[in-house]
Amino acid sequence: MTAPLSTSAPPAAVPRQVRWLLRLHRPALCAWTVLVVGLAAALLWLWGPLTDASAAAWQQFDTDPACQGPAPCGYDQDAILRYKDVYQYTTLAVLAVPFLVAAWSGAALTGREMETGTARLAWTQGITPVRWLAARLGVPAVLVTAGTGLLVWLHHLAWSAGRGRIDSAEDWYSLTTFYAGGPLTVALALAGLAGGALLGLVLGRSLVALCGSVLTVAALWTAVHLALPHLWPTATVTSGRRAYPEHSGIKTGEGIITPDGAHVPVSSCVSDAQQACQALNDRRHATGFWVDYHPYAHYGPLHLVGAALLLALTAVLAVAAFRLVHRRTTGRRPARTRATGPKAAV
């Protein structure tokens, strides 16, 4: 015989549920704090002393005549390599945050409690299933937003400090740099949180939900990366046959210009750098070349549009999780059957 599910909860039950949630997931909370504080300290180190030392080394290398020849010169190469290593490791760590959040959400936040039956037990202890899920999504969402938002902001500051000062600094449109320094990563972490919680409720097995959550984040990231360049109007630059359009950013298309001014996309010979291409473009009757791309001015809009789509998807996943919990806890009662004959007394 199972205890009836609670249909209402006193106001004091919600703060108690939050405190219990933080106590239950104290190891994860401690690990999250260590991760955020450690990465923030590394990014601050990168933003200040490492960037200054690397920039000074590059300036010496570019201006010292002794460094322009084959003979070795006395510039600080270790500072440049140290900056490069710390930048690479911190960038990968920031990009790993959505996967870590999704894995924890699917495995520990809901999957383990559904697998062990503690979720249903909690629903009989003065907390409604909807408020139970709201606490499990709301509290981590606040912590994930604050922590991930701080990390991407510091990463963008660290990258901006080296822009134009360090010759080997990553371009803004580099795959890792672009995503690690903007709100898209924050939105992806929240989508991983909601998606992992939903998978944990659906599958009811922590390990399977963990794997599924990580794969879901990977699929979402791939879809966003493929669709993002087409979600905002591009800029177009053109050139004649003797030059190639100068641009710097995310290229979305390129091709030739016909005599009537039409822009025709082509996949090869978009310049006259080789004689074979020059002959081919003569047969195409090309008068110039064009490139569609996103300049640095589109950095913010691209991030905001992508983050808005991911947040909308996060809301859909959260609503689906609430509907699933509501359906499981307020399902139809089994229909009564009328027994007849001697078997009725059994």
Side-chain angles (χ1 to χ4, degrees):
M1 182 176 182
T2 59
L5 296 180
S6 174
T7 58
S8 62
V14 177
R16 186 168 62 249
Q17 174 69 9
V18 172
R19 290 195 300 269
W20 169 251
L21 178 66
L22 295 176
R23 184 180 304 175
L24 178 64
H25 296 282
R26 184 180 300 172
L29 179 61
C30 294
W32 175 251
T33 303
V34 171
L35 174 65
V36 172
V37 172
L39 264 180
L43 289 170
L44 288 173
W45 184 37
L46 181 69
W47 179 26
L50 290 185
T51 297
D52 292 340
S54 181
W58 273 113
Q59 184 179 11
Q60 181 183 5
F61 179 81
D62 293 334
T63 58
D64 190 349
C67 296
Q68 309 306 317
C73 61
Y75 76 102
D76 191 358
Q77 185 180 16
D78 291 338
I80 297 176
L81 296 178
R82 191 179 305 112
Y83 170 89
K84 183 177 180 180
D85 290 341
V86 174
Y87 183 89
Q88 179 181 359
Y89 295 143
T90 53
T91 301
L92 294 178
V94 172
L95 295 179
V97 167
F99 295 95
L100 297 176
V101 171
W104 171 79
S105 177
L109 189 62
T110 57
R112 184 176 60 188
E113 297 205 18
M114 297 299 295
E115 186 176 17
T116 59
T118 54
R120 191 171 184 87
L121 178 62
W123 299 341
T124 65
Q125 303 300 317
I127 186 72
T128 63
V130 172
R131 291 185 177 181
W132 173 87
L133 182 59
R136 270 154 178 73
L137 288 179
V139 175
V142 172
L143 297 175
V144 168
T145 302
T148 312
L150 174 64
L151 293 179
V152 298
W153 177 63
L154 290 177
H155 186 279
H156 187 71
L157 287 180
W159 173 82
S160 300
R163 184 188 181 197
R165 300 172 59 197
I166 299 176
D167 295 0
S168 59
E170 293 285 344
D171 294 318
W172 71 269
Y173 51 85
S174 170
L175 179 65
T176 54
T177 297
F178 177 82
Y179 286 104
L184 253 173
T185 301
V186 181
L188 190 63
L190 292 174
L193 175 68
L198 178 60
L199 283 178
L201 292 172
V202 172
L203 300 176
R205 298 175 61 185
S206 58
L207 182 58
V208 179
L210 183 152
C211 298
S213 302
V214 172
L215 292 177
T216 299
V217 170
L220 284 178
W221 207 330
T222 302
V224 168
H225 178 68
L226 295 177
L228 192 62
H230 309 286
L231 299 178
W232 193 259
T234 59
T236 303
V237 291
T238 61
S239 70
R241 286 284 302 270
R242 299 303 179 184
Y244 183 74
E246 294 185 2
H247 67 283
S248 177
I250 302 175
K251 184 170 64 175
T252 61
E254 60 183 350
I256 62 172
I257 303 175
T258 59
D260 58 355
H263 289 192
V264 179
V266 295
S267 58
S268 62
C269 288
V270 291
S271 70
D272 287 343
Q274 299 178 356
Q275 292 184 353
C277 288
Q278 184 175 359
L280 176 60
N281 288 326
D282 289 338
R283 293 194 298 270
R284 292 170 172 172
H285 304 289
T287 61
F289 307 101
W290 60 271
V291 171
D292 287 344
Y293 76 108
H294 290 287
Y296 180 67
H298 293 183
Y299 177 85
L302 287 174
H303 264 282
L304 293 178
V305 170
L309 291 177
L310 282 174
L311 290 178
L313 178 61
T314 301
V316 171
L317 294 174
V319 170
F322 279 106
R323 289 180 63 87
L324 178 62
V325 168
H326 180 73
R327 183 185 305 174
R328 285 185 175 180
T329 56
T330 60
R332 294 181 179 180
R333 296 180 180 179
R336 295 182 179 179
T337 58
R338 183 178 299 175
T340 59
K343 294 183 179 180
V346 178

